[in-house]
Amino acid sequence: MSQNLLLPHSAGRSGEPAKTGGPLLSVRDLFVTFASEAGDVRAVRGVSYDLHPGEVLGIVGESGSGKSVSSMAILGLLPDNARVTGSIKLDGRELLGLNDKQMSKIRGKDIAMVFQDPLSALTPVFTVGDQIVEALTVHQRLSRDAARRRALELLDVVGIPDPERRFKNFPHEFSGGMRQRVMIAMAIANDPKVILCDEPTTALDVTIQAQILEALKNAQELTGAAILMITHDLGVVAGFADKVAVMYAGRPVEQGPVDEIYYSPRMPYTIGLLGSIPRLDATVKHGEHGEHGGHGGHGRRPLTPIEGNPPSMVGLPNACPFADRCPIATEICRDSEPELLAAGGNAHLSACHRRADLQSGTIPIDEVYPIPEIPAAELDTVPREQRAPVLAVKGLQKHFPLMRGAVFKRRVGTVKAVDGIDFEIREGETLGLVGESGCGKTTTLLEILELVAPQAGSIAVFGREAANLSGRERMEMRKDIQIVFQDPMASLDPRMPVGEAIAEPLRTHGWSADRAAARVAELLELVGLEPYHASRFPREFSGGQRQRICVARALALNPKVVILDEPVSALDVSIQAGVINLLDELRAKLGLSYLFVAHDLSVVRHIADRVAVMYLGRIVEIGDVASVFHEPSHPYTQALLSAIPLPDPRKERERERILLPGDLPSPADVPSGCRFRDRCFKYASLNAAEQMKCRDEDPVIVPRPDREDHAAACHYADALQVV
């Protein structure tokens, strides 16, 4: 699997279920209720579906919609306080009512599970080989040698390099992607009939995600299993699933064939989810975004956020649970909950009182949600070269010594976290910094924020070298450069009201209590919250609201540059859209410049003016976002872009994936010459002399001949359209 270079992403997926005979898994009227002090929590409220051999059903929805609980009910892994009713049949056999001993014979054999976090799912004190062998011998009468041979075969099937050596490794010695492949090997060990996948790619880089999805497809072809894919990523579902069930407030609100759900949605919640996703294939031509280096007038419509939050699952009223967030809700929506009924042909079902209006076109799908208006910034009309640089990084290096020994330590190597990078951000501009985990993005941010002399190179903020700042000047400079972190809950003190958290930087810089209180109220309104929210604690807010509070705190001192470290990666797509729109609006309103760090290239495509792609401590491609995304020149950028799933089933079936073998090398052992060559698909097609150049010469970043603001560090750079 890992050696494949160009692969059709969804071969065999036509958007129509390939039904053969009766269903393997049949779920009918599944209800799951948990007892709590506040009352009964109705986590799952009437889930029904059929899963046939070789079929993939994608279940999508926001956090708390009941996706994972419904899958745990199938496996009988819910806690004792769960009340489960309905019917779950596997190949005609009823599973509800079986005791734990009976279910243990089914789990891992007939139904397998791939969990979200493989490190938690694997036992840390046993080797991965022993754990796969155990999965085999529990359900099959195999000798130790036979089980070991089968385990090695499985490791090879899922793309683990050098299975003989890796068999003896422990889970902590594997990367996240390799651990997830081990979980897939364990899942298919006994040729299961059904594989349940609970967010199997959520915490992985897109290149590793592509490998995992390919491993799952190979596993399905090998076993003929049906797959239940639980995810919040509508792009993954578009290319991987045959059918889709969209869940909200514990029940499906729309389900049917993947093409019908994506192209003809009949439920406002589904329409909102699809409209809230940044699209990698957004229609922006070269020059529209980068003609003046600005973001306004780029022709892309803002994202469509779904306002509000999902309802509490305690004491749900007899009404449509989505009514308070729905832009087309009427009185009947607040008087009764709609049933899941036919909304078109081919088993397309919708739980919406207004499904007929959506189906007939009385309410056009693209007019269900009002498009937010984001004003253009004044700087958008100013050419980039006429704007002052606000942050300039040249030749930046950050190396860490690799030490060994408990008492007498000695240096045995060097970790080259950042190994000489250059970029510049100008007034009103957003630079997206992207790359896999471990490429040096976060280290770069920390070096910039420290505002001291780096190990090598220079950092200039507003034209002033950080190395030349005095202590007082550094303190003053910190007002102008602020950061928003990835996890808003970890960024806020849970014991401190949010008003105090926002006021903290103001007090640090000598603001009076009255002046700070007025500024806090102003900031809360600026980010779409209410002034009275200042007295509440972080736990009383949703994830998106907490991130807005973090944005308000970053803006407290009127900074000119805001560093955004994965600011939306922990949010549901519907909430993510509102935060992205907010950042766009604040950039225009306040004239901010952003350094936007992310692994989601679709988000970067939407919000950035320019993009820098990092690999193993170096920037390998940089330029105007429209040019880089439309015609990437470096093979690594091409692989990154091809790995991003599109929320469009037809496009996904037509695309080719560039699968990179293996994982990112260690920055303590950087390859000679081109550091990307061991994973480069282009390297294999070069002649001996060209390969020698890649092995011996470290490529420098040079502009493309036809575009000055687009450069790549590759000896044989060549533009390739992959989206």
Side-chain angles (χ1 to χ4, degrees), residues 238-255:
F240 195 72
D242 299 300
K243 300 188 300 187
V244 183
V246 182
M247 288 191 67
Y248 186 80
R251 64 176 296 218
V253 293
E254 188 163 13
Q255 64 186 60

Side-chain angles (χ1 to χ4, degrees), residues 64-112:
S65 62
K67 307 187 300 294
S68 295
V69 173
S70 61
S71 68
M72 291 297 103
I74 294 170
L75 286 169
L77 294 177
L78 293 173
D80 293 338
N81 69 330
R83 298 196 305 272
V84 184
T85 62
S87 173
I88 302 172
K89 290 183 178 180
L90 177 66
D91 230 358
R93 181 187 181 187
E94 181 61 57
L95 301 185
L96 287 187
L98 297 183
N99 59 36
D100 191 60
K101 185 177 181 180
Q102 292 170 318
M103 284 300 300
S104 294
K105 295 179 180 179
I106 295 172
R107 298 188 202 110
K109 185 177 187 301
D110 295 324
I111 304 179

Side-chain angles (χ1 to χ4, degrees), residues 62 85 178 296 354 359 361 420 525 633 664 686 703 714:
E62 292 172 291
T85 62
M178 291 178 71
R354 309 208 64 184
Q359 183 176 350
E525 290 184 326
S633 296
L664 190 76
L686 301 176
C714 177

Side-chain angles (χ1 to χ4, degrees), residues 10 13 22 56 74 93 96 105-106 122 147 187 215 245 466 484 500 548-549 636 651 654 690 720:
S10 301
R13 298 274 171 229
V56 180
I74 294 170
R93 181 187 181 187
L96 287 187
K105 295 179 180 179
I106 295 172
L122 293 168
V484 177
E500 290 187 26
R548 287 171 182 264
I549 291 164
Y636 178 60
K651 287 186 178 180
E654 294 168 358
E690 292 170 331
L720 175 67

Side-chain angles (χ1 to χ4, degrees), residues 469-514:
L469 297 175
S470 66
R472 177 172 292 183
E473 289 171 332
R474 189 172 294 111
M475 184 72 169
E476 286 297 310
M477 185 72 78
R478 292 194 191 283
K479 293 181 182 178
D480 292 325
I481 183 166
Q482 294 289 318
I483 186 167
V484 177
F485 293 100
Q486 177 176 359
D487 185 354
M489 194 59 181
S491 304
L492 298 169
D493 189 333
R495 301 163 297 177
M496 184 184 290
V498 299
E500 290 187 26
I502 296 171
E504 198 170 21
L506 301 173
R507 292 195 303 269
T508 301
H509 287 271
W511 286 47
S512 67
D514 290 344

Side-chain angles (χ1 to χ4, degrees), residues 238-272:
F240 195 72
D242 299 300
K243 300 188 300 187
V244 183
V246 182
M247 288 191 67
Y248 186 80
R251 64 176 296 218
V253 293
E254 188 163 13
Q255 64 186 60
V258 63
D259 283 33
E260 290 199 32
I261 298 296
Y262 277 72
Y263 298 130
S264 304
R266 299 289 181 250
M267 169 66 189
Y269 178 61
T270 309
I271 296 169

